[in-house]
Amino acid sequence: MAIKLAERIERVNLSMTLAISAKAKTMKADGLDVCSFSAGEPDFDTPAHIKAAAQQALEEGKTKYGPAAGEPKLRQSIARKLKTKNGLEYGPENIIVTNGGKHSLYNLMQVLLDPGDEVVIPAPYWVSYPEMVKLADGVPVIISAGAETDYKITPEQLRNAITPKTRLFVFNSPSNPSGMVYSPEEVRALAKVVVEKDILVLADEIYEYILYDGAEHLSIGAASSEIFPRCIVSNGFAKGYSMTGWRLGYLAGSLEIIQAATTLQSHSTSNVCTFAQYGAIAALESSQDCVEEMRLAFAERRKVMLERVRALPGFTCPKPQGAFYIFANIGKTGMSSLEFCNALLEEEKVAAIPGVAFGSDDCVRFSYATDLATINKGLDRLERFVRSRMN
Ligand code: PMP
Ligand code: GLU
């Protein structure tokens, strides 16, 4: 019997970042020598003190249901962090703890959008944004920025994309997939448009911990007093603290939004794993040296990968200032991004993510959240692959 699925799920695609990363892991498990530049996942283990805090909570019997919005102590720690690090004045009641940053974003789209509401998303964008909008019956409105503007949009582009139906602008800096970071001046200029047009902005700040070359991260909600009530912040522990599998994120915003997200969560996922939340408290409340150590390792890997990718014939790639991705334009190879990535995996066992997943079919994303030996081996293979195609 053919099962008819809801139209809602028929209009979205499976996450390509997760699918390709899983394929690379399976190939490795099958004994194939795969170099994976696919996953946006730090290769480091979670720092020991964070694991110890969760273990202790488990021992102490923190194994029961908790409040749907999260453990009060964690919500307090997050509020403190947002105030001291980002200049955002939220109380614990303005925060909901979620199953990862992805779940924060999903919750927000669900509580904010009515059918036909528009959400402005700059491309290249993280793969899940448009799909989440569609799952909430909203309409993604894509504005594109190319390598010539460092993959950053201008205030004019934002202004021109806003219609009476626009509810939300999705702003991700440092960006996945481009690694670009908007300067404080650029953030302020975009914030002005958000205020002038009286829309909301979602600041996805999951990569704020990973910056290079002195790049500065300004949270868009802190750009002016006018924008603060229009801003919703999404963040998490996955990238900065290497806690991808813990599934811990949070959303901060006005009481109406956080209460609505809590209602949604109370009927969907309930609270995030109780003892895991104690690991998150330790992450925020302990020394941040572990974050810096990982950042320094990423900085070294970035240098190697960037130099080698830029030297490839036909490749162009602006210098990313954050996150752990190189987003290279491969247009001159004559292949689509999917053809390129399929052939690269098939012939050379190197996994990368096609730019089409991020709305830029002439680009490919290489993650350097892996060790230097793998980076060098994978780049040797990539070089061989590209040279064979360009001759
Ligand atoms: N936003 C961006 C831009 C991301 O790259 C990711 C990576 N998964 C997420 C949100 C969600 O992260 P997580 O759900 O693992 O916390
Ligand atoms: N965000 C990471 C990436 O872009 C992890 C995979 C995912 O959640 O999509 O690769």
Side-chain angles (χ1 to χ4, degrees):
M1 177 198 161
I3 308 265
K4 189 201 162 297
L5 297 174
E7 200 242 317
R8 187 183 321 113
I9 196 69
E10 300 278 16
R11 45 179 129 98
V12 302
N13 301 307
L14 182 71
S15 162
M16 209 183 273
T17 47
L18 286 186
I20 296 177
S21 308
K23 184 172 176 187
K25 280 185 187 171
T26 310
M27 286 170 76
K28 264 193 207 171
D30 289 344
L32 294 170
D33 178 22
V34 176
C35 294
S36 182
F37 300 145
S38 57
E41 172 164 53
D43 56 328
F44 307 106
D45 196 1
T46 300
H49 66 282
I50 299 176
K51 293 206 284 189
Q55 274 157 359
Q56 192 187 331
L58 190 54
E59 287 304 317
E60 286 172 0
K62 302 257 173 22
T63 55
K64 305 293 185 201
Y65 290 135
E71 291 294 294
K73 221 173 141 195
L74 177 54
R75 295 170 79 195
Q76 271 163 18
S77 290
I78 294 168
R80 202 159 33 240
K81 179 263 176 207
L82 288 171
K83 195 172 185 167
T84 53
K85 187 162 175 4
N86 305 107
L88 300 169
E89 291 279 344
Y90 290 118
E93 66 284 2
N94 295 107
I95 287 149
I96 179 171
V97 180
T98 58
N99 281 283
K102 191 179 272 186
H103 187 217
S104 297
L105 304 166
Y106 179 84
N107 278 349
L108 180 70
M109 301 304 175
Q110 290 294 322
V111 302
L112 208 58
L113 302 182
D114 276 324
D117 281 349
E118 292 178 1
V119 178
V120 177
I121 303 175
Y125 48 73
W126 180 48
V127 62
S128 294
Y129 297 145
E131 307 306 285
M132 287 176 178
V133 171
K134 288 192 259 167
L135 279 169
D137 295 329
V139 181
V141 174
I142 310 297
I143 44 179
S144 296
E148 63 294 345
T149 57
D150 284 350
Y151 301 114
K152 295 183 201 176
I153 58 151
T154 61
E156 288 66 40
Q157 276 183 289
L158 176 60
R159 189 175 288 112
N160 293 339
I162 295 172
T163 74
K165 290 197 153 190
T166 308
R167 291 296 322 274
L168 185 68
F169 163 48
V170 177
F171 184 57
N172 173 221
S173 175
S175 150
N176 177 8
S178 74
M180 288 304 160
V181 180
Y182 284 76
S183 71
E185 297 74 54
E186 289 166 336
V187 172
R188 284 190 201 100
L190 292 173
K192 271 195 187 151
V193 179
V194 170
V195 173
E196 171 197 316
K197 294 286 187 177
D198 198 18
I199 60 167
L200 298 172
V201 58
L202 164 62
D204 181 349
E205 312 204 319
I206 198 145
Y207 294 100
E208 70 165 326
Y209 300 94
I210 308 169
L211 296 165
Y212 313 107
D213 300 338
E216 208 185 310
H217 168 75
L218 172 66
S219 196
I220 192 165
S224 68
S225 55
E226 292 87 4
I227 195 162
F228 179 64
R230 293 178 168 83
C231 180
I232 308 105
V233 181
S234 174
N235 207 327
F237 296 84
K239 316 290 175 174
Y241 297 95
S242 200
M243 292 170 70
T244 47
W246 290 61
R247 311 310 304 133
L248 270 160
Y250 54 90
L251 193 67
S254 68
L255 266 187
E256 300 95 299
I257 288 178
I258 299 307
Q259 282 169 358
T262 306
T263 302
L264 174 65
Q265 204 155 281
S266 76
H267 289 296
S268 51
T269 55
S270 298
N271 63 288
V272 173
C273 171
T274 304
F275 54 85
Q277 292 187 55
Y278 285 81
I281 296 170
L284 290 177
E285 297 292 332
S286 311
S287 153
Q288 301 299 296
D289 288 356
C290 56
V291 177
E292 179 60 6
E293 276 163 31
M294 290 189 268
R295 190 192 69 81
L296 289 173
F298 289 135
E300 201 187 344
R301 296 158 177 198
R302 163 178 166 267
K303 189 169 175 288
V304 173
M305 194 182 246
L306 186 65
E307 262 172 32
R308 295 198 61 181
V309 167
R310 279 181 153 179
L312 293 169
F315 273 50
T316 47
C317 170
K319 193 174 188 179
Q321 292 178 302
F324 33 61
Y325 307 108
I326 303 278
F327 202 56
N329 187 300
I330 55 131
K332 291 208 176 113
T333 65
M335 285 180 268
S336 75
S337 62
L338 205 54
E339 281 164 358
F340 183 97
C341 290
N342 282 339
L344 183 63
L345 186 57
E346 180 97 347
E347 291 170 29
E348 293 287 356
K349 308 278 176 290
V350 174
I353 309 283
V356 68
F358 311 110
S360 306
D361 198 19
D362 51 357
C363 294
V364 168
R365 189 190 81 177
F366 301 95
S367 160
Y368 51 88
T370 190
D371 61 278
L372 271 178
T374 305
I375 290 174
N376 276 313
K377 184 158 80 172
L379 262 296
D380 290 345
R381 296 177 186 184
L382 179 61
E383 209 173 288
R384 188 165 60 204
F385 176 80
V386 174
R387 290 197 189 282
S388 76
R389 300 292 161 141
M390 296 296 281
N391 283 334

